[in-house]
Every structure is written in structure tokens, then in C-alpha cells.
């Protein structure tokens, strides 16, 4: 398929978990161990906004570094920690426990910037961290006090979005992506494998004739707000919805039959919130590894 243009890479970076009105929480289960038994066992994003992420961190602390121990969080791009952070640390007690860390953008931050991971660290007050856990969390941050309207202007497709590295597994991966008449996503891989991805599972056909039909259950998503947004927020939501459709169009390499199939499945009667939710799900299906 034709490689996605650089502007889509930027839109994809903003897409994942950058819609706090639609998706506001997820759970990462991870474990980082040290010889003395200290570890971070779980990180939960419990709330998120344009300039803040609130984390619940579960840990096991042996007490080997004393009583003045805390958990912090920072945003990063690859291996580089951004200097635009401020956080409210969570105190750590000896034994098994949980603590809350709030990560925000600093007043010196740019009006808008994107990170691709968060780094949770355990440290002694006034000293360097002795335990660190990075994990992927794509997010566009906004400086506190930044007006909403400039963000609407920035996120609308203009053809001048700065180029950024493409997300792993998207550009140049050789996968042909299509959307069928029933709205299901079809993925054709270079080795001949074909996947049909839909809500609740997928059908996989391998080139040697084998097939698999995994099914799964998903939690009921939050109910979209019933009341229509005010004019300012409606403009912002419409810009988001339009960009999501542009991403779908690019992922299917401009195949208008696929775009038409998607729009027919979406229908004309969904609210802005529902369209954003459905387009987000479709993009995730199209990006199935």
C-alpha cells in the first residue's frame, strides 16, 4: 500500500488516548523488579485531560531506602524526558501499597506538544530515582491556560503539520487495509495472511489453509453525553471527527469504496460523540498488528 504521509503520523500520535471526552482511563499491568525486592506492579490512568494525567501506582517497597520515598511521573518522547513537566508526588510506605501521582504540564511548556510515553519512578526525596518504569502512552499536551480556539486551528488539516516519526507498525508495513460493505475491517499481510476484524473478535485465514476465529468480550464503554455540546466545543469535536475520517481514508490508501462502506455503516444519525467513538474503534481495528 502507499505509505501514509507525515501529517497522518502526527494525527495518529494525537489520536491514541487524546480524546478525554470519550476514553478517560485504561490500565497497564507491568512489573519492574530490583535485587532488594522493590517493584512497581501496576499503573492505572484514572483520569486525563489536555494538560494532566492522574495515575494510581501499585508497588512493593522493601524499606531499604528509608522512609522518605515517593513516586513521580514524567512525560517523554523516546528516551528523552521532556522538561515541561510538573508533578505532585505520591508517598511510598514500606510493604505493598498504592499511591496517587498527578502529572501536569509546566507553565514554561509550549502551547501544544506530544509525548509517546510516561515514566513512573520511585525515588528518595531530594535524590535520583532508584526504580523506573517507562510505558507507552501517546498524548498531546496543552499548556495550562491555553485557549481552546487556537487548538481547533492547529488540529485542522492544513498540509503544514510538522513532520514527526511514524508510529511503529504503520508506515511501510506492507499491510493492505480495507473496509467491507458490512463495516468490518479487512487486513491483508505480506505473507498472505488475511484478517477480518470486527467488534468482538476476528477471523484469521493463513496462507497454508489454517484458520482461527478468536472472540473476546469487551467492557461497556462510557455512555456518550446526551446533551449537545455548546458551539465552541462542537467546533472542536467536529474538527476531531473530521481528522479521524481523514486518518481512516489514509489507512485504506485512499480507497473510496472502503470510505463509502464505513460511512454507510456509520449512518447519518449518530451524535458527534458517537461518531468520534466509532471512528476511533475503526482506526484501532485498521491498526491491528
Amino acid at each position: 500500500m502507499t505509505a501514509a504521509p507525515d501529517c497522518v503520523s502526527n494525527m495518529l500520535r494525537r489520536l491514541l488516548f487524546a480524546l478525554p471526552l470519550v476514553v478517560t482511563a485504561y490500565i497497564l499491568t507491568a512489573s519492574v523488579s530490583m535485587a532488594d525486592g522493590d517493584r512497581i506492579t501496576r499503573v492505572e490512568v484514572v483520569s486525563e485531560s489536555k494538560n494532566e494525567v492522574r495515575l494510581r501506582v501499585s508497588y512493593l517497597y522493601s524499606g531499604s531506602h528509608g522512609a522518605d520515598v515517593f513516586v513521580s511521573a514524567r512525560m517523554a518522547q523516546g528516551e528523552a524526558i521532556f522538561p515541561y513537566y510538573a508533578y505532585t508526588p505520591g508517598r511510598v510506605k514500606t510493604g505493598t501499597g498504592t499511591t496517587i501521582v498527578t502529572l501536569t504540564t509546566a507553565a514554561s511548556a509550549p502551547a501544544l506538544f506530544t509525548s509517546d510515553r510516561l515514566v513512573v519512578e520511585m525515588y528518595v526525596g531530594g535524590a535520583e530515582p532508584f526504580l523506573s518504569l517507562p510505558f507507552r502512552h501517546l498524548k498531546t499536551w496543552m499548556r495550562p491556560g491555553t485557549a481552546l480556539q487556537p487548538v481547533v486551528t492547529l488540529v485542522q488539516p492544513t498540509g503544514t503539520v510538522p513532520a514527526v516519526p511514524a508510529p511503529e507498525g504503520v508506515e511501510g508495513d506492507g499491510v493492505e487495509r480495507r473496509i467491507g460493505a458490512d463495516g468490518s475491517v479487512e487486513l491483508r499481510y505480506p505473507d498472505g495472511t488475511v484478517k477480518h476484524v470486527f467488534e468482538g473478535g476476528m477471523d484469521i485465514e493463513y496462507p497454508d489453509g489454517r484458520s482461527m476465529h478468536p472472540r473476546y468480550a469487551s467492557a461497556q464503554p462510557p455512555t456518550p453525553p446526551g446533551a449537545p455540546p455548546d458551539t465552541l466545543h462542537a467546533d472542536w469535536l467536529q474538527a476531531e471527527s473530521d481528522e479521524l475520517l481523514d486518518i481512516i481514508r489514509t489507512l485504506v490508501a485512499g480507497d473510496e469504496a472502503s470510505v463509502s462502506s464505513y460511512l454507510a455503516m456509520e449512518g447519518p444519525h449518530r451524535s458527534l460523540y458517537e461518531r468520534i467513538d466509532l471512528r476511533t474503534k475503526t482506526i484501532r481495528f485498521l491498526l491491528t498488528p
Side-chain angles (χ1 to χ4, degrees):
M1 64 174 283
T2 304
D6 289 340
C7 64
V8 176
S9 298
N10 191 39
M11 287 189 289
L12 286 170
R13 287 182 182 281
R14 293 189 322 95
L15 166 68
L16 301 179
F17 308 113
L19 298 174
L21 289 170
V22 180
V23 180
T24 58
Y26 74 98
I27 295 174
L28 165 84
T29 301
S31 179
V32 174
S33 302
M34 301 291 285
D36 57 10
D38 302 328
R39 62 176 62 91
I40 295 170
T41 57
R42 179 183 173 103
V43 177
E44 180 183 359
V45 178
V46 293
S47 66
E48 181 172 353
S49 68
K50 287 294 184 183
N51 67 301
E52 178 182 291
V53 172
R54 193 162 180 260
L55 306 172
R56 180 181 292 114
V57 180
S58 301
Y59 62 84
L60 174 61
Y61 175 53
S62 66
S64 59
H65 293 272
D68 195 24
V69 174
F70 303 88
V71 170
S72 66
R74 298 186 286 176
M75 70 280 286
Q77 181 75 22
E79 300 298 321
I81 300 292
F82 278 120
Y84 314 128
Y85 66 87
Y87 62 82
T88 302
R91 178 172 284 278
V92 172
K93 299 180 180 180
T94 300
T96 300
T98 61
T99 191
I100 297 294
V101 181
T102 302
L103 174 64
T104 61
T105 49
S108 59
L112 201 69
F113 66 99
T114 300
S115 62
D116 66 2
R117 66 197 63 211
L118 300 180
V119 181
V120 178
E121 297 173 320
M122 192 178 294
Y123 68 99
V124 177
E128 292 297 315
F130 60 86
L131 181 61
S132 180
L133 171 64
F135 64 94
R136 289 189 63 80
H137 182 81
L138 301 180
K139 178 174 174 61
T140 294
W141 300 81
M142 190 166 65
R143 183 179 62 224
T146 302
L148 180 61
Q149 186 58 42
V151 177
V152 174
T153 302
L154 284 171
V155 300
Q156 290 173 339
T158 63
T160 59
V161 179
V164 294
E168 296 177 5
V170 176
E171 185 171 343
D173 61 3
V175 180
E176 295 182 12
R177 299 174 169 89
R178 296 290 181 268
I179 300 175
D182 61 353
S184 66
V185 167
E186 179 182 280
L187 307 173
R188 292 184 174 271
Y189 297 83
D191 67 353
T193 299
V194 178
K195 291 182 181 178
H196 293 272
V197 187
F198 45 85
E199 189 77 29
M202 65 178 72
D203 295 325
I204 309 172
E205 303 294 335
Y206 295 99
D208 61 4
R210 292 180 299 117
S211 64
M212 294 181 63
H213 308 279
R215 298 291 185 268
Y216 48 84
S218 56
Q220 176 68 32
T223 301
D230 59 40
T231 301
L232 181 60
H233 287 86
D235 288 344
W236 189 90
L237 289 169
Q238 186 62 59
E240 288 288 325
S241 180
D242 291 344
E243 281 202 50
L244 296 179
L245 185 60
D246 285 342
I247 293 172
I248 290 172
R249 178 176 283 106
T250 301
L251 287 174
V252 298
D255 178 43
E256 288 304 321
S258 291
V259 176
S260 296
S261 294
Y262 170 78
L263 290 174
M265 179 269 294
E266 181 183 85
H269 304 300
R270 296 179 190 268
S271 69
L272 267 174
Y273 300 111
E274 291 170 332
R275 289 203 297 273
I276 288 173
D277 182 49
L278 185 58
R279 292 177 185 190
T280 301
K281 288 178 181 177
T282 300
I283 290 169
R284 287 177 179 160
F285 292 160
L286 287 165
L287 293 174
T288 299

